[in-house]
Amino acid sequence: MQLETVDAGTFRGATHPEWANMVGPFGGITAAVLLRAVESHPDRIGDPLALTVNFAAPIADGEFDISLRAARTNRSNQHWMLELRQGEEVKTTATALFGLHRDTWADDETHPPNAAAPEDVAAGSFIDAIVWAKRYDMRFTAGPVPLSAVEPSESSTTTLWVRDAAGRRLDFAALASLSDVFFPRVFLRRGRFVNAGTISLTTYFHADQGEIDALGGDFLLGSAHANRFSRGYFDQSAHLWSRAGRLLASTHQLVYFKD
Amino acid sequence: MQLETVDAGTFRGATHPEWANMVGPFGGITAAVLLRAVESHPDRIGDPLALTVNFAAPIADGEFDISLRAARTNRSNQHWMLELRQGEEVKTTATALFGLHRDTWADDETHPPNAAAPEDVAAGSFIDAIVWAKRYDMRFTAGPVPLSAVEPSESSTTTLWVRDAAGRRLDFAALASLSDVFFPRVFLRRGRFVNAGTISLTTYFHADQGEIDALGGDFLLGSAHANRFSRGYFDQSAHLWSRAGRLLASTHQLVYFKD
């Protein structure tokens, strides 16, 4: 996640083997580093509100450049456009919306599913080849990873408690990364691993800086489901709540699959 | 929706008074025209899969230029970046993902809510000042527009049948426009109109060209709800189904509000 300033509109970073996925780095860490690039820019105003990341091609191991610019700065919000390149090749595109918070009427309308306390749930796992998954302490209460082939499920829902395995405190970049922590929903529906990958990821951040700071490194509850699988693609919607039941982020993605 | 080619990467269009909103044009028609710009580009491959539109500033009445480029073209998909400008001012940014469909395992997991047939539901309306709403035949089965102040609802859900009022056949651009047809969810929760506007809109297109063509100009069933209202912003998730219950699009947005 370390970024070096190249010029006023370019940061340089590098992949880290601890965050490796099957091909290239974990999508969540790419989302996190793009968000961090905006956070690091001297012109940035406000907190992250929305982030869309388009995974155009796998990022190769090594250095990458992130170019970014504020396409528009208003009084209370700011619209960013970003590209992640390796050499001349665009690997990822993104847009980010940052903005100021102000006090308004407020309400949580979508509540967390019932789940046993994380202390009462056994730690789950991915297969060893998914290196990034070791960065998280994951405790599945519904729809765990089908580590060996199982009966296809009628539901694509996964619910899990998740926190940083090293006890790092939550921040916006970590929340962006967690928005991609759910394995492809098609695995549950087919009862086995299937060739699949996220191609577009959008996250809405409901929590502000103070709310995130107050959470420390505690578990979040995440729940994800798919809506339709059709002709090579499916969508996933997920939510991440604090242990106290506050909705911190809503996140959606489109995934390709071959099956 | 008519676009004139300025150069290889620029189309010119103009606002139309029939699609006016309170300030500037209806966000849905802006999403539609951006999608149409990609569809009109000679380099485009495949069908729309995902579209994210960021409403950076109100579009003034008159001409606008849309600049677009394929940031990456793969064998089966293509990532576009777009900007809509008036003069030197960026008014809207967007990313679009297009791609090829192929036959795979398929399933609809999210089903439409119960609703009486559209022929058995009275036509609903917005207030007169919302000119674009007259372009649609809308029949609310839950959560209609609070035309006069009512008791705040505990639910932000609206469900409605909707079709083009002039009987135009559905296409991808029309589906993009319909993804923004839901009025701000905060109206229901507060029981009245509130200053609010969409700032980022993401739509996933589940239907392919053949499925859309088969629908003609028939009613779609749409249902929208919010997840959390907090410190000036809320998110909305919505789905659009065919009368036969096939999920055509999943769509999500972040909305600012003052209340």
Side-chain angles (χ1 to χ4, degrees):
Chain A
M1 283 280 291
Q2 279 176 342
L3 291 172
E4 170 198 339
T5 302
V6 176
D7 60 42
T10 315
F11 290 105
R12 181 160 297 156
T15 60
H16 192 293
E18 288 210 328
W19 288 97
N21 203 352
M22 296 291 271
V23 179
F26 169 49
I29 198 70
T30 302
V33 81
L34 289 163
L35 193 80
R36 178 57 53 84
V38 178
E39 290 182 314
S40 305
H41 198 287
D43 295 345
R44 183 261 301 190
I45 61 165
D47 289 336
L49 299 176
L51 174 70
T52 293
V53 180
N54 301 291
F55 300 96
I59 297 170
D61 291 344
E63 288 191 339
F64 52 78
D65 282 354
I66 295 171
S67 59
L68 70 165
R69 66 188 170 84
R72 176 109 193 174
T73 299
N74 296 312
R75 211 172 24 174
S76 65
N77 68 36
Q78 196 170 43
H79 290 263
W80 292 85
M81 299 191 84
L82 301 96
E83 280 188 8
L84 186 154
R85 289 171 186 261
Q86 292 185 304
E88 290 308 299
E89 278 193 276
V90 174
K91 298 299 183 74
T92 321
T93 68
T95 62
L97 170 63
F98 277 59
L100 304 178
H101 286 97
R102 59 185 175 279
D103 288 331
T104 56
W105 173 80
D107 189 61
D108 277 59
E109 189 166 327
T110 295
H111 300 292
N114 287 327
E119 291 74 13
D120 298 334
V121 182
S125 64
F126 277 36
I127 58 170
D128 266 357
I130 309 290
V131 178
W132 67 262
K134 303 182 205 302
R135 304 284 78 74
Y136 292 110
D137 177 353
M138 293 190 271
R139 308 192 179 194
F140 294 90
T141 66
V145 188
L147 295 172
S148 54
V150 295
E151 272 302 296
S153 170
E154 286 185 17
S155 164
S156 67
T157 298
T158 283
T159 301
L160 81 165
W161 291 103
V162 59
R163 64 177 174 183
D164 185 277
R168 268 190 294 265
R169 299 174 65 84
L170 192 68
D171 58 19
F172 283 111
L175 196 52
S177 182
L178 284 167
S179 71
D180 196 31
V181 82
F182 308 92
F183 60 91
R185 305 293 86 211
V186 70
F187 290 11
L188 289 179
R189 296 302 311 278
R190 303 301 277 161
R192 55 181 166 75
F193 279 48
V194 167
N195 185 350
T198 304
I199 39 181
S200 187
L201 170 70
T202 290
T203 299
Y204 301 133
F205 300 90
H206 301 297
D208 63 11
Q209 186 73 57
E211 196 174 349
I212 284 184
D213 289 346
L215 295 171
D218 196 14
F219 282 102
L220 305 187
L221 185 69
S223 190
H225 69 277
N227 295 298
R228 182 179 174 188
F229 304 82
S230 179
R231 303 203 68 206
Y233 307 95
F234 68 88
D235 67 332
Q236 172 193 289
S237 285
H239 297 96
L240 289 158
W241 291 270
S242 69
R243 193 193 283 247
R246 308 305 304 272
L247 183 61
L248 306 174
S250 301
T251 178
H252 311 282
Q253 59 179 264
L254 192 74
V255 184
Y256 84 84
F257 74 102
K258 288 185 186 167
D259 194 41
Chain B
M1 283 279 292
Q2 279 176 343
L3 291 171
E4 168 198 342
T5 302
V6 176
D7 60 42
T10 314
F11 290 105
R12 181 161 298 157
T15 60
H16 194 292
E18 287 209 328
W19 287 97
N21 203 351
M22 297 291 271
V23 179
F26 170 49
I29 198 69
T30 302
V33 80
L34 289 162
L35 193 80
R36 179 56 54 84
V38 179
E39 290 183 314
S40 305
H41 198 286
D43 295 345
R44 184 260 302 189
I45 60 166
D47 289 335
L49 299 176
L51 174 70
T52 292
V53 179
N54 300 292
F55 300 96
I59 297 170
D61 292 343
E63 289 192 336
F64 52 78
D65 282 354
I66 295 171
S67 59
L68 70 165
R69 65 188 171 84
R72 176 110 193 174
T73 299
N74 296 311
R75 208 170 27 172
S76 65
N77 68 36
Q78 196 171 43
H79 290 263
W80 291 85
M81 298 190 85
L82 300 96
E83 280 188 7
L84 185 154
R85 288 171 186 262
Q86 291 185 305
E88 291 306 300
E89 276 193 277
V90 174
K91 298 299 184 76
T92 320
T93 68
T95 62
L97 170 64
F98 277 59
L100 304 178
H101 286 96
R102 58 184 177 279
D103 288 332
T104 56
W105 173 80
D107 189 61
D108 277 60
E109 189 165 326
T110 294
H111 301 291
N114 289 325
E119 290 75 11
D120 297 334
V121 181
S125 64
F126 277 37
I127 58 170
D128 265 358
I130 310 289
V131 177
W132 67 263
K134 303 181 205 302
R135 305 284 77 74
Y136 292 110
D137 177 354
M138 293 190 270
R139 307 190 180 197
F140 294 90
T141 67
V145 189
L147 295 171
S148 54
V150 296
E151 272 302 296
S153 170
E154 286 185 16
S155 164
S156 66
T157 298
T158 283
T159 301
L160 80 165
W161 292 103
V162 59
R163 64 177 174 184
D164 186 277
R168 268 190 294 265
R169 299 174 64 85
L170 191 68
D171 58 20
F172 283 111
L175 196 52
S177 183
L178 284 167
S179 70
D180 197 30
V181 81
F182 308 93
F183 59 91
R185 304 293 87 208
V186 70
F187 290 10
L188 289 178
R189 294 302 310 278
R190 303 300 277 162
R192 54 179 166 77
F193 279 50
V194 167
N195 185 351
T198 304
I199 39 181
S200 186
L201 170 70
T202 289
T203 299
Y204 301 132
F205 300 90
H206 300 297
D208 63 13
Q209 187 73 58
E211 195 173 349
I212 285 184
D213 288 347
L215 295 171
D218 195 14
F219 282 102
L220 306 187
L221 185 70
S223 189
H225 69 276
N227 294 298
R228 182 177 174 188
F229 304 82
S230 179
R231 301 203 70 205
Y233 307 94
F234 68 89
D235 67 331
Q236 172 193 291
S237 284
H239 298 96
L240 290 157
W241 291 270
S242 69
R243 192 194 283 248
R246 308 304 304 272
L247 183 61
L248 306 175
S250 300
T251 178
H252 311 282
Q253 59 178 261
L254 192 74
V255 183
Y256 83 86
F257 74 102
K258 287 184 187 169
D259 194 42

